[in-house]
Amino acid sequence: MTHKITLIPGDGIGPEVMNAVTRILDASGVKFEWETVLAGAEAYEKYREYVPKALTESVERTRVALKGPITTPIGGGFASINVQLRKQFDLYANFRPVSNLPHIPTRYPDIDLVVIRENTEGLYSGLEHEVVPGVVESLKVMTEKACTRIARFAFEYARRKQRKKVHAVHKANIMKLSDGLFLRCSRNVAKEYPEITYGEHIVDNTCMQLVMNPYQYDMLVMENLYGDIISDLCAGLVGGLGLVPSANLGDQGAIFEAVHGSAPDIAGRNLANPTALLRSALLMLNHIGEPDAANNIQSALEEIYRHRDQLTRDVGGKAGTSEFADAVIQTMQSGSTVE
Ligand code: NAI
């Protein structure tokens, strides 16, 4: 069977890490037909649209996309393409598993956390306007529907994977209405899953607790902006942004992407670590029903990290992006470590 997948290379380090990852995927034995489409500033240059029709049509057709990071201008310019895509396809659940790779020096071994982030509303939507010069308003819109479905997503996942605890992360002491609604919905859903322990932590305390003792958590569910921040914190627990995957999931489709951004400071220099996008691609392989290929790549990846010779600079190695990909492919195909 050939899988049709929409491929959005993104910009900055996007095309480099994407090239490395698609080479590994193509070498895995699974057959792919990649539909490559542009998004963001490059798409605008070509089509005068940041999310061109070709991209929308492709995702509607394939329902699965692998995406590189896309730069969002700071303090002006166009709205985030990432936010637009998540809203456009109603990819309401951002799923971010966080775990260690072998031999990456971190403060804590054996981290196994899942961060579930509501992906379609909240302050992260960027609904802002200038009331009068010098006064701006930023809107945090929360709905019972979205809060309930993200809580249900978290608990369903916990039940399916036999995870023990779900914590709702909030700031309902201050945002009594919006985060209060989020908590009410989470509590209601939690009642339907008596085998799973339900807890609530205020977001600032959660950050401190994660740094002091991450093992107290199993799964965390939260609104959009807190999820953005907490998931980067969690990436730091296991070695950094170059390592952590994510999936944007909804009923109409799925977009798999790394947690990190376009890293303009290292773009175009063959320095980026493709591990995060590769691990996102492993989530994609499981999603499309190719778990064996996912397991093979995962084993090769772990072997590379155990051996340490072919790691990228962000994790203490000397290899470039493409050499790292070569090493994964060679290990996967030979079943042994690259010398
Ligand atoms: P960033 O994640 O691009 O970079 C933060 C730091 O981590 C930099 O020092 C970078 O070199 C390093 N880093 C990130 N990915 C790496 C990798 N794969 N290998 C090695 N080092 C890596 O975050 P920043 O600088 O805040 O954002 C840059 C741009 O990316 C912004 O325009 C932002 O809006 C966009 N962005 C896009 C995302 C997406 O498309 N999903 C997600 C996050 C940010």
Side-chain angles (χ1 to χ4, degrees):
M1 173 183 184
T2 300
H3 298 279
K4 280 193 184 185
I5 309 281
T6 302
L7 197 121
I8 307 166
D11 52 44
I13 59 169
E16 298 166 66
V17 287
M18 188 61 85
N19 182 265
V21 168
T22 49
R23 281 206 295 123
I24 295 167
L25 291 174
D26 284 331
S28 72
V30 177
K31 290 201 167 33
F32 294 100
E33 195 178 313
W34 304 109
E35 294 190 5
T36 304
V37 287
L38 298 178
E42 283 180 0
Y44 190 80
E45 263 176 40
K46 196 163 169 195
Y47 305 108
R48 297 282 134 204
E49 281 178 306
Y50 292 107
V51 179
K53 213 166 144 220
L55 190 158
T56 304
E57 286 173 354
S58 177
V59 175
E60 280 171 0
R61 206 169 31 244
T62 63
R63 292 179 165 256
V64 182
L66 186 61
K67 176 186 160 297
I70 300 173
T71 304
T72 307
I74 293 174
F78 60 87
S80 164
I81 305 306
N82 308 306
V83 175
Q84 281 185 57
L85 290 174
R86 292 165 192 169
K87 282 190 184 170
Q88 186 174 343
F89 299 108
D90 199 24
L91 305 172
Y92 63 88
N94 193 295
F95 171 75
R96 299 186 169 190
V98 183
S99 60
N100 299 84
L101 277 161
H103 296 290
I104 293 295
T106 58
R107 277 175 206 281
Y108 301 101
D110 304 322
I111 296 279
D112 178 17
L113 281 169
V114 176
V115 179
I116 307 280
R117 163 183 174 188
E118 204 291 321
N119 227 4
T120 59
E121 57 181 33
L123 206 49
Y124 197 87
S125 295
L127 294 175
E128 298 183 316
H129 67 109
E130 188 174 60
V131 183
V132 289
V135 182
V136 296
E137 189 173 30
S138 194
L139 299 175
K140 174 162 173 162
V141 177
M142 306 275 279
T143 63
E144 193 176 319
K145 181 183 165 206
C147 294
T148 301
R149 73 178 173 174
I150 197 64
R152 192 170 298 290
F153 179 94
F155 277 93
E156 275 300 309
Y157 181 85
R159 178 171 277 173
R160 225 175 32 253
K161 299 289 179 183
Q162 292 170 346
R163 299 196 70 116
K164 305 255 175 308
K165 277 189 275 184
V166 174
H167 275 85
V169 178
H170 67 94
K171 191 76 187 173
N173 51 332
I174 303 298
M175 275 163 281
K176 295 177 194 296
L177 285 182
S178 53
D179 284 18
L181 175 66
F182 180 77
L183 278 191
R184 253 197 333 279
C185 297
S186 299
R187 285 174 195 164
N188 283 340
V189 172
K191 284 184 202 143
E192 298 171 33
Y193 299 81
E195 78 279 20
I196 297 158
T197 305
Y198 171 67
E200 295 172 354
H201 275 175
I202 294 176
V203 61
D204 38 348
N205 177 36
T206 309
C207 292
M208 191 270 289
Q209 298 289 345
L210 276 165
V211 173
M212 300 286 286
N213 175 19
Y215 301 118
Q216 67 187 290
Y217 296 116
D218 184 6
M219 289 183 61
L220 299 165
V221 60
M222 63 206 78
E223 65 93 78
N224 213 339
L225 181 63
Y226 308 152
D228 183 51
I229 297 164
I230 294 269
S231 53
D232 271 27
L233 192 160
C234 290
L237 293 176
V238 296
L241 282 169
L243 304 178
V244 182
S246 85
N248 302 287
L249 304 168
D251 301 332
Q252 302 167 32
I255 297 183
F256 297 84
E257 63 180 335
V259 169
H260 63 72
S262 56
D265 53 335
I266 55 167
R269 294 161 58 199
N270 196 36
L271 291 177
N273 187 349
T275 301
L277 186 62
L278 183 59
R279 289 175 112 188
S280 311
L282 300 187
L283 298 177
M284 182 187 82
L285 284 173
N286 282 311
H287 178 84
I288 62 175
E290 298 285 359
D292 292 345
N295 291 339
N296 287 343
I297 298 175
Q298 172 75 23
S299 303
L301 185 65
E302 286 178 8
E303 187 61 27
I304 298 292
Y305 273 87
R306 251 190 298 276
H307 205 254
R308 292 201 63 79
D309 275 4
Q310 301 290 337
L311 297 183
T312 48
R313 282 172 198 231
D314 57 309
V315 284
K318 291 198 178 101
T321 313
S322 50
E323 290 72 32
F324 177 88
D326 293 342
V328 175
I329 293 169
Q330 203 180 324
T331 306
M332 199 166 68
Q333 289 176 341
S334 67
S336 65
T337 313
V338 184
E339 295 303 331

